[in-house]
Amino acid sequence: MDITRSSPAPVRVVAVPPEPEPAGLTALPEPTTAEPLQPLPTVAVTAVTATTTSVTATDVRGRRRRSRPRDLLALLRPGQWVKNLAVVPLALLDAQAWGATAFLRTGWAVLGFTLASALVYVVNDLADRERDRLHPVKRHRPIASGRVSTAAAGVLTGLLALSLTGWAVAGPAWHWWPTALYLALSLAYSQGLKHVPLVDAFIVATGFVLRLVQGSLLVGARMSEWLALCVFSLCLMLALGKRRHEMTAAGRAHRPALRGYTLAFLDHLVVLVAVLTAVSYVLYLRDDAALAAGASLVTLLSAPCAVFGLARYLQLLLVEEGGGNPVHVLFRDRATLVNAALWAVLVALALLLPHASA
């Protein structure tokens, strides 16, 4: 019994020491300086992280605000405006049309088609934003990526439409019908014709012929049928080449019209249209070009440049698997640029020889 009574005593002795331990520990000077210092770096890091996060979020919002005008400009695709500069001034190939008035009217035609093509680009991107998100390259476009909202794109569409209307009213009466026809075809293209194989590419090529007609109409020059056929076949070749590149890069799911094509079919079409382009160009030089008899040799020398340019594009398309952006392919390839420079010099000589002999 004595043993059982004495057993609780050690229990009490053992249970008592833990109570004064916290008081003793807090009385020690070293732990008081060590323990409060441990949470301070964590608090400081948290505060710095929160501050950095808020600053970063503010910077991102500021960058989005600053980049919005740039995104709106990218939506207009200024890199594609060179198409108007390359096609509309072809009306000046008629030497009789040269003069200050002709150049001003050519610039007016370029301005009109630049506004019209920009309007078409915005409308197409609005209609294709869901489909563009599936494409490895087009998903970075301003609307598809979400950098430009549909509301902002709608406002931009209205501004372009008003500007184009002002351009038509300020110009010569009824000389704007090629641009109006281009807009009508482009609207039909956006609403469903772009999903019809072959028709989609033919509409794109027809738009470039209308550019040529607009320039000739404002300048007052006679439009050559061979030149129109050459422009049509050349642009058709570029459109078909672009579709071939899309098939190899993203498959057929991106564009429904691609289901009506195969790589072999597109290869045959591209070569066929390239031959038509070369033949129509030579026939234009022989029958309709405003050249003097002394320029026949220069004309003969320019034909190989045209054939080389077509062959180089086919090489870039079929061998190097390029052609996704014809403007970038044609204006960034060194061989094409050198050939185009030589070609331009020969054509300029052929056009200036009649004036020099006179």
Side-chain angles (χ1 to χ4, degrees):
M1 299 298 295
D2 295 335
I3 296 175
T4 56
R5 290 177 181 178
S6 60
S7 58
V11 173
R12 294 176 183 176
V13 173
V14 174
V16 171
E19 295 180 357
E21 280 182 1
L25 290 175
T26 54
L28 293 176
E30 295 181 357
T32 54
T33 57
E35 291 181 0
L37 290 176
Q38 292 179 357
L40 287 178
T42 305
V43 174
V45 171
T46 305
V48 173
T49 305
T51 305
T52 305
T53 304
S54 61
V55 172
T56 304
T58 304
D59 292 342
V60 171
R61 288 193 296 268
R63 290 176 184 174
R64 288 179 180 176
R65 292 174 183 174
R66 291 193 298 268
S67 64
R68 186 169 182 177
R70 183 177 57 190
D71 293 332
L72 291 174
L73 180 61
L75 187 60
L76 304 180
R77 302 186 196 177
Q80 302 293 329
W81 296 350
V82 69
K83 298 175 181 179
N84 303 319
L85 297 175
V87 179
V88 176
L90 287 180
L92 293 175
L93 289 178
D94 186 358
Q96 297 177 356
W98 287 10
T101 303
F103 282 103
L104 289 176
R105 291 187 175 183
T106 302
W108 188 254
V110 171
L111 175 61
F113 255 97
T114 299
L115 293 173
S117 59
L119 177 60
V120 170
Y121 291 143
V122 177
V123 172
N124 284 339
D125 285 356
L126 278 172
D128 294 342
R129 60 185 183 275
E130 297 298 335
R131 190 175 292 107
D132 287 343
R133 292 189 178 102
L134 303 177
H135 194 273
V137 177
K138 295 182 179 180
R139 62 187 178 90
H140 298 293
R141 288 179 175 177
I143 298 179
S145 62
R147 298 195 309 271
V148 175
S149 63
T150 56
V155 173
L156 182 60
T157 301
L159 293 176
L160 289 173
L162 290 176
S163 301
L164 189 59
T165 302
W167 171 87
V169 173
W174 295 105
H175 282 190
W176 44 263
W177 67 263
T179 304
L181 182 57
Y182 168 79
L183 287 176
L185 285 176
S186 300
L187 181 60
Y189 177 88
S190 300
Q191 294 301 317
L193 290 182
K194 62 184 177 182
H195 302 317
V196 182
L198 292 181
V199 176
D200 61 332
F202 273 72
I203 289 180
V204 173
T206 303
F208 287 94
V209 177
L210 291 174
R211 287 173 168 87
L212 176 62
V213 174
Q214 182 68 84
S216 300
L217 188 63
L218 288 178
V219 171
R222 185 187 70 86
M223 190 186 68
S224 169
E225 293 80 3
W226 290 121
L227 180 60
L229 179 60
C230 180
V231 170
F232 175 80
S233 57
L234 175 63
C235 296
L236 180 60
M237 180 189 68
L238 297 178
L240 293 173
K242 183 178 180 179
R243 279 144 183 79
R244 185 190 187 280
H245 180 268
E246 289 180 350
M247 286 190 63
T248 58
R252 299 181 179 181
H254 166 66
R255 190 190 291 268
L258 295 179
R259 298 172 184 173
Y261 298 106
T262 63
L263 290 179
F265 179 54
L266 287 173
D267 292 344
H268 286 86
L269 282 180
V270 168
V271 173
L272 174 63
V273 177
V275 173
L276 180 60
T277 303
V279 172
S280 58
Y281 173 74
V282 173
L283 291 176
Y284 163 73
L285 292 179
R286 190 192 70 175
D287 297 338
D288 296 336
L291 304 175
S296 58
L297 179 60
V298 179
T299 303
L300 178 63
L301 293 177
S302 69
C305 293
V307 176
F308 178 84
L310 295 172
R312 177 57 180 166
Y313 175 75
L314 293 178
Q315 184 183 31
L316 293 173
L317 177 67
L318 303 178
V319 178
E320 300 184 12
E321 298 294 337
N325 191 330
V327 175
H328 290 174
V329 170
L330 296 177
F331 290 92
R332 293 184 180 181
D333 180 62
R334 293 183 179 179
T336 302
L337 291 176
V338 173
N339 178 70
L342 178 60
W343 191 3
V345 170
L346 292 174
V347 171
L349 289 176
L351 291 174
L352 293 175
L353 276 178
H355 298 280
S357 60

